[in-house]
Amino acid sequence: MKLQRFALALAGFGLIAASASSVPAFAGKTDPKPHFSDKVAHPGAVKALAAGGPCINYVGVPTAAGTMQEIDATPGTTPTAVSWDPFNYVATRANATWYGAVNATGTQYYYYGLMLQGSSLYRQTTYLPDNANPVPTFKKVGTGWTSFKSIATSNYSVAQPRHAYLYGLNTNNSLYRYQIVGAGFKALGPIPGFRGFKTMTVVSESATYDTLLMTTTAGALWTAHIPIAAGAKPVMKLIRSSGFADYESLVAQGCGTRGGTLVTAVDNATQSGYQYAFSKFNGAATAMTNYGKIPAVFNGVDHVSLTTHYDQLVGE
């Protein structure tokens, strides 16, 4: 991946990167602050997205061969795509959102996120030095993840009470939630009732709930509205009853000013991505536009959103 493009992409989202020290960051940071110089340096991109466009899926592609790259997919009558150069990473089997940030002096860009390798959970921080290849670093933060087939993270950072959660979809038909507290994780127990679900991504984050977008092996598309309150049961809504059976990955980013969501759905078997736009999610009443196949090769073990720490999802 071209480093300059990769670093500037953080500002190109039109959202403010987190201010953090130059040490590795983590989801659930206690008190992140917006880094204003990033907005000042790139006012055009900020104003463009604040006005509702253009909408782009920034897709991370971690491969079984141990590389990572970015594909930028833009909707249209026929979607268009830019595929950036891959860089050396590490082989993984499941990954969550990559959050972009910059240190307090504005001199160091990096991404951070969580991923699974074998039975272990890792935190990755990938630094973006000037005029050099990205430098990924890894820290093991948990074991016993063999039976988890998909992971996703939420990151509500814009107001109090802030929260960050890790969600894990297990082969035992349950969804597990972990509160991310500093560098650690607090297990909140399983949520049963997810038999037949295959993959997921976060599409909404608020002070009181998270919403996951999920597919089933039979091809249905659902939202799971999960209250933050301990013991509260999720509210499940069917978006579409069929048409999504082939997809192993969902990558979601906010689109427009009314809570719309742009989704790239990936069929791993054919290494093909397809782009959809949704209105604010509301069960079967949700409007959907199918833009079709994206002209790029999606050869990841899964595919993840490349976003920023302050890019709050409001899709429901």
Side-chain angles (χ1 to χ4, degrees):
M1 180 179 296
K2 294 179 177 64
L3 175 64
Q4 183 180 16
R5 164 65 186 91
F6 194 43
L8 291 178
L10 298 181
F13 294 133
L15 296 151
I16 302 172
S19 172
S21 66
S22 57
V23 299
F26 46 82
K29 187 171 178 145
T30 304
D31 190 22
K33 301 291 193 301
H35 186 66
F36 183 71
S37 66
D38 189 56
K39 184 171 81 170
V40 173
H42 303 277
V46 173
K47 291 179 181 178
L49 283 184
C55 296
I56 300 173
N57 275 138
Y58 300 95
V59 181
V61 186
T63 69
T67 64
M68 176 69 171
Q69 75 172 128
E70 176 182 347
I71 297 175
D72 300 344
T74 303
T77 304
T78 299
T80 59
V82 176
S83 298
W84 301 99
D85 296 339
F87 61 90
N88 290 330
Y89 187 59
V90 68
T92 63
R93 66 177 186 85
N95 299 264
T97 296
W98 283 40
Y99 298 100
V102 63
N103 67 0
T105 61
T107 57
Q108 177 65 74
Y109 289 94
Y110 55 89
Y111 279 113
Y112 64 93
L114 297 170
M115 55 91 164
L116 299 181
Q117 186 180 60
S119 63
S120 297
L121 176 69
Y122 286 82
R123 179 178 291 114
Q124 64 84 13
T125 304
T126 299
Y127 295 96
L128 309 173
D130 289 337
N131 302 313
N133 290 327
V135 179
T137 65
F138 308 93
K139 181 179 180 181
K140 184 186 289 187
V141 292
T143 58
W145 287 79
T146 302
S147 59
F148 288 87
K149 53 188 177 180
S150 181
I151 61 173
T153 49
S154 68
N155 174 40
Y156 183 71
S157 304
V158 298
Q160 298 286 0
R162 298 185 176 102
H163 73 254
Y165 290 103
L166 166 64
Y167 295 91
L169 187 59
N170 200 290
T171 55
N172 68 5
N173 305 320
S174 292
L175 179 71
Y176 288 74
R177 182 168 63 169
Y178 301 82
Q179 186 177 5
I180 305 173
V181 184
F185 299 83
K186 179 182 178 181
L188 301 178
I191 304 172
F194 288 85
R195 178 183 297 275
F197 282 85
K198 183 164 63 169
T199 192
M200 61 183 179
T201 192
V202 175
V203 292
S204 202
E205 304 154 317
S206 82
T208 58
Y209 69 89
D210 289 331
T211 302
L212 301 176
L213 184 66
M214 311 180 74
T215 65
T216 69
T217 55
L221 185 70
W222 291 79
T223 53
H225 174 107
I226 303 175
I228 300 306
K233 294 182 179 180
V235 177
M236 305 296 295
K237 291 185 178 181
L238 179 64
I239 308 301
R240 295 291 186 273
S241 60
S242 62
F244 290 84
D246 292 336
Y247 301 134
E248 287 81 22
S249 301
L250 299 173
V251 178
Q253 267 129 0
C255 181
T257 60
R258 292 189 261 180
T261 301
L262 191 65
V263 174
T264 291
V266 180
D267 178 355
N268 286 2
T270 62
Q271 299 184 349
S272 300
Y274 298 82
Q275 199 161 44
Y276 298 85
F278 295 90
S279 66
K280 207 145 191 172
F281 288 102
N282 183 27
T286 305
M288 182 184 80
T289 300
N290 182 354
Y291 289 104
K293 187 176 181 180
I294 300 166
V297 177
F298 292 84
N299 61 339
V301 293
D302 58 3
H303 300 80
V304 298
S305 173
L306 298 175
T307 185
T308 75
H309 188 87
Y310 266 76
D311 185 1
Q312 300 299 286
L313 294 164
V314 293
E316 186 192 43

